Amino acid sequence: MIPPTRLAAILFVLAGIVVPVGRAEAQGLIWSLPADGTWVRYEGTYEQTVHSADPTSAMPQTKLTWLRKTEIKSVGREDAEYAGQATPCRWVEIKTVTGKANPDFPLGIDPGPAGTRVYKVLIPESRVLGKTVDEAGIPVTFLPIVMGHQKIGDGPVQALGGGVLQVYPSLTLLQHYPAIEPQSAQPEDAQIRFAGGPVAAVRHVASHTSEGPTNRTANEAEFWISGDVPFGLAKWDVGLTRMEKDAAQPRGAFRLASESRERMEARQTGTDAKNEAPSEIAVP
């Protein structure tokens, strides 16, 4: 029998690799750029329920919950070439730590070997639009970057390819959605415990379903966009359902494989952001 602590580590690693990677998301975690040096910290939980493929199993499902904290920081400005010309850009660090509560670790979380994930990206400031369509009415389906690197757990530093910021599924369950619908005409109280004070936000809902020969995923999200929180996101609640089958089986054979849920809200902010990423991906 696998010890509970070992099982938790295995399921968490799986949580980061079994989810199919979708397209880049519409701005994702970044909807605005505050003054350089600003940071915001989100706190919440990440849950995963894994369902057994064996209907006779004595453990038909295993559910685990981890604490999660995500920090977004603006840690430098510089001009860089983008679209063939020198463009004002911003270095942004995004760090997500997931694990069990432990006061002996930074942020009070023991992340294990794969629970700390850091992205360092250089973003053209002009491309942070803070909306779902641009001036021409074209959906904003990605946030471009000039360059970037990532470090996942104890793994090596790797360059981010593709020229876009892709935070799903490594940093968050938020992803690209074909349509994002606001649920109110005016901002309302986000009802979060934010150290920066009261937060007025507009609730949005979105969903995305994808299917392949062996898996089907359904992602449903609620998120609150606000001008009162640095980078523009006040909180989010995302559920992800994953189904599986053998490639030769018909579509009706899909079975429930796992359910994941991420609930996060802004808690703290400040203006003294420092680069804390590994030296290999520090701002030059």
Side-chain angles (χ1 to χ4, degrees):
M1 178 183 232
I2 300 175
T5 54
R6 177 60 176 163
L7 178 60
I10 291 173
L11 289 177
F12 177 69
V13 171
L14 288 176
I17 61 177
V18 299
V19 181
V21 176
R23 294 172 54 195
E25 60 287 336
Q27 306 291 10
L29 294 171
I30 299 176
W31 290 80
S32 63
L33 285 176
D36 189 36
T38 301
W39 60 269
V40 63
R41 179 180 300 148
Y42 300 90
E43 299 182 10
T45 58
Y46 180 90
E47 302 173 352
Q48 187 181 46
T49 302
V50 177
H51 297 266
S52 173
D54 181 3
T56 65
S57 172
M59 293 183 61
Q61 65 182 39
T62 302
K63 182 176 181 179
L64 292 168
T65 301
W66 295 272
L67 298 179
R68 171 167 282 185
K69 294 186 181 182
T70 294
E71 294 181 338
I72 308 176
K73 307 175 184 179
S74 177
V75 290
R77 304 181 70 181
E78 68 174 77
D79 289 346
E81 184 174 342
Y82 172 71
Q85 60 183 9
T87 302
C89 296
R90 189 78 64 90
W91 281 106
V92 174
E93 177 184 311
I94 307 174
K95 179 180 181 180
T96 292
V97 179
T98 309
K100 295 299 182 179
N102 190 326
D104 295 330
F105 285 78
L107 299 180
I109 295 177
D110 177 359
T116 300
R117 304 177 179 198
V118 183
Y119 278 26
K120 176 79 63 173
V121 292
L122 186 61
I123 301 172
E125 294 184 353
S126 62
R127 300 310 302 160
V128 180
L129 303 179
K131 51 189 178 180
T132 58
V133 296
D134 63 16
E135 292 79 1
I138 300 173
V140 179
T141 57
F142 64 91
L143 181 59
I145 59 174
V146 175
M147 66 180 74
H149 293 80
Q150 66 174 346
K151 182 174 174 59
I152 298 178
D154 298 331
V157 174
Q158 297 177 319
L160 293 172
V164 300
L165 177 58
Q166 173 83 315
V167 296
Y168 168 86
S170 183
L171 297 175
T172 178
L173 290 183
L174 283 171
Q175 64 173 102
H176 161 70
Y177 303 99
I180 298 175
E181 299 292 337
Q183 299 300 293
S184 60
Q186 298 294 329
E188 302 174 352
D189 185 355
Q191 298 183 356
I192 61 176
R193 293 175 291 166
F194 185 52
V199 172
V202 175
R203 184 172 73 94
H204 294 69
V205 297
S207 63
H208 181 260
T209 300
S210 61
E211 183 176 319
T214 61
N215 60 71
R216 176 193 293 161
T217 62
N219 184 304
E220 297 185 349
E222 287 184 299
F223 50 94
W224 287 255
I225 300 174
S226 173
D228 296 329
V229 179
F231 301 99
L233 200 56
K235 67 177 180 179
W236 63 93
D237 183 347
V238 185
L240 182 72
T241 301
R242 183 171 181 270
M243 306 185 77
E244 291 181 340
K245 70 176 183 65
D246 293 336
Q249 291 179 309
R251 294 181 66 196
F254 275 115
R255 66 166 187 85
L256 184 60
S258 67
E259 298 170 277
S260 302
R261 188 159 212 99
E262 181 185 40
R263 297 182 177 94
M264 303 290 289
E265 66 178 50
R267 289 287 181 83
Q268 295 178 297
T269 186
T271 57
D272 56 347
K274 296 180 176 60
N275 174 58
E276 296 183 12
S279 59
E280 302 98 316
I281 55 176
V283 174

